[in-house]
Amino acid sequence: VKYRHGNPPLQAIMKIAQKKFLFEPYAELLGFHIDRLIGMKRVPPTAWVELPIPWIQGSVSIMPPFYMQWLQLFVFEYPDCKSIIRTDKDGVKWMNLSAQLWMSDVRNAMESSVAPPPRYRDYMSHHLEVTPEVNASLAEVSDLFVFDYIIGNTDRGMSKNNYAVGGCKSNCHLPPEQVHKGPAQFLHIDQGSAFYKRPGPPNNPLTETEHQSSKFCRFRKSVWQKMYDMRTMKGRPRAKTLWGRMKAEVPADIFRHVKDSRAMAAQTRMDHIITHTVEHCFPKAPKHEVLCFNDT
């Protein structure tokens, strides 16, 4: 659902819990907070809001009848969604959802100026040298894999659900006020499939199995340092870990639906990145080649 407010309009994409995608709004909010905590700043501002159900119905009423039927059956009347609907003293029903700022000048990342080179995975394992020509795009690739590994996102690949803001290469007809200011970069939107599973996503090069170890060894220095500073370690107060920061900053209501154990798995996966870097990457390559990407 898209929400518009003001003139010129401020727009947001609203995500609601639904059958088959119960975690969608919660994952969007958790993903935003984790993005900010590790210092990537690739997720658009995302808020946790409560809206009257008549407003939601009104926004769908302009669409074909099928959408209203779907909304009624798979959201408002779906048993697992009823617990997040409340009725106020006037009899109006309200529902919590996530609202993410709508961004202009966005396109498929593979069609942008920061599209990665064909053998981007080989660069991540030091098989190829990172040259100035590919440095910016590979930094975005590294961030994307790290972010999706931490949140457990199983529904994104380099050419699937992967977007960039700025970096238009053809048919660039936006008015000047809508053109992205600054260098092109990946934009991490649509985290709706995250936090369902505790192991890392199967298509992510940071995920290890019994028979396959990760060879991923290139990171953005500032992001890695923030993860290192929030890792689990003996004597560190929980409040200073990623999990502790999440508990302090994310509305408690989120954890009634995405249970603590699923959200805590993000800490475990982030800790694994640090352990993997220290035990596997640093012994094989100079530290400056592992932490080779700087902030733009």
Side-chain angles (χ1 to χ4, degrees):
V1 179
K2 195 173 180 180
Y3 176 72
R4 294 165 59 96
H5 178 77
N7 186 26
L10 182 67
Q11 302 181 75
I13 291 294
M14 301 185 298
K15 298 287 187 75
I16 56 179
Q18 55 192 279
K19 184 179 181 180
K20 294 186 178 180
F21 296 100
L22 286 171
F23 287 0
E24 187 152 17
Y26 317 120
E28 295 289 355
L29 191 72
L30 285 168
F32 166 71
H33 280 277
I34 289 176
D35 167 83
R36 292 304 193 267
L37 287 169
I38 62 177
M40 280 187 184
K41 299 181 181 178
R42 293 299 187 268
V43 177
T46 307
W48 188 240
V49 300
E50 187 181 42
L51 288 183
I53 284 180
W55 284 25
I56 302 173
Q57 292 171 321
S59 67
V60 177
S61 64
I62 61 174
M63 303 172 73
F66 162 79
Y67 291 96
M68 185 64 78
Q69 295 169 5
W70 171 87
L71 189 68
Q72 196 66 34
L73 287 174
F74 296 120
V75 179
F76 301 144
E77 295 180 4
Y78 187 62
D80 288 340
C81 292
K82 287 183 177 180
S83 64
I84 58 174
I85 296 174
R86 74 171 182 89
T87 304
D88 67 17
K89 59 182 179 59
D90 297 318
V92 177
K93 292 185 176 180
W94 295 66
M95 188 176 193
N96 283 112
L97 42 81
S98 65
Q100 186 174 90
L101 183 67
W102 177 263
M103 305 289 288
S104 61
D105 201 10
V106 173
R107 58 197 43 83
N108 186 304
M110 300 302 287
E111 299 172 359
S112 75
S113 62
V114 284
R119 296 175 61 188
Y120 57 86
R121 289 192 180 228
D122 288 334
Y123 285 96
M124 295 300 122
S125 57
H126 291 270
H127 288 160
L128 294 174
E129 180 185 358
V130 176
T131 62
E133 292 76 18
V134 295
N135 185 284
S137 62
L138 291 175
E140 299 298 322
V141 170
S142 175
D143 283 350
L144 184 71
F145 282 134
V146 167
F147 179 66
D148 278 346
Y149 180 77
I150 292 173
I151 69 173
N153 186 9
T154 59
D155 194 34
R156 180 155 43 216
M158 207 50 58
S159 57
K160 178 186 179 184
N161 292 336
N162 185 25
Y163 302 93
V165 60
C168 181
K169 295 168 64 177
S170 62
N171 299 318
C172 309
H173 305 303
L174 284 175
E177 65 272 13
Q178 293 185 24
V179 175
H180 175 66
K181 309 299 188 294
Q185 58 190 40
F186 281 9
L187 192 68
H188 302 168
I189 54 179
D190 194 1
Q191 280 67 253
S193 295
F195 298 99
Y196 283 94
K197 297 181 179 180
R198 292 179 180 82
N203 62 339
N204 192 299
L206 280 161
T207 299
E208 297 187 316
T209 67
E210 183 180 352
H211 306 290
Q212 181 68 47
S213 60
S214 173
K215 296 180 175 60
F216 190 103
C217 279
R218 290 195 191 274
F219 302 90
R220 191 183 297 274
K221 183 178 180 180
S222 62
V223 169
W224 190 89
Q225 187 62 53
K226 284 185 178 294
M227 293 192 296
Y228 184 83
D229 292 342
M230 292 187 293
R231 74 195 188 281
T232 303
M233 62 176 292
K234 186 176 181 180
R236 168 163 291 159
R238 192 188 79 166
K240 293 187 177 181
T241 64
L242 176 68
W243 168 236
R245 298 284 300 276
M246 289 165 62
K247 286 291 280 187
E249 298 182 13
V250 176
D253 188 50
I254 301 298
F255 300 107
R256 290 200 301 112
H257 305 283
V258 180
K259 301 301 183 184
D260 280 5
S261 58
R262 292 181 186 273
M264 286 176 65
Q267 175 80 58
T268 302
R269 290 187 291 265
M270 190 197 75
D271 288 345
H272 174 74
I273 293 176
I274 299 302
T275 301
H276 165 75
T277 310
V278 172
E279 295 182 356
H280 175 76
C281 302
F282 288 163
K284 295 184 178 181
K287 191 172 183 178
H288 71 272
E289 290 188 8
V290 176
L291 309 181
C292 60
F293 303 123
N294 295 315
D295 293 336
T296 54

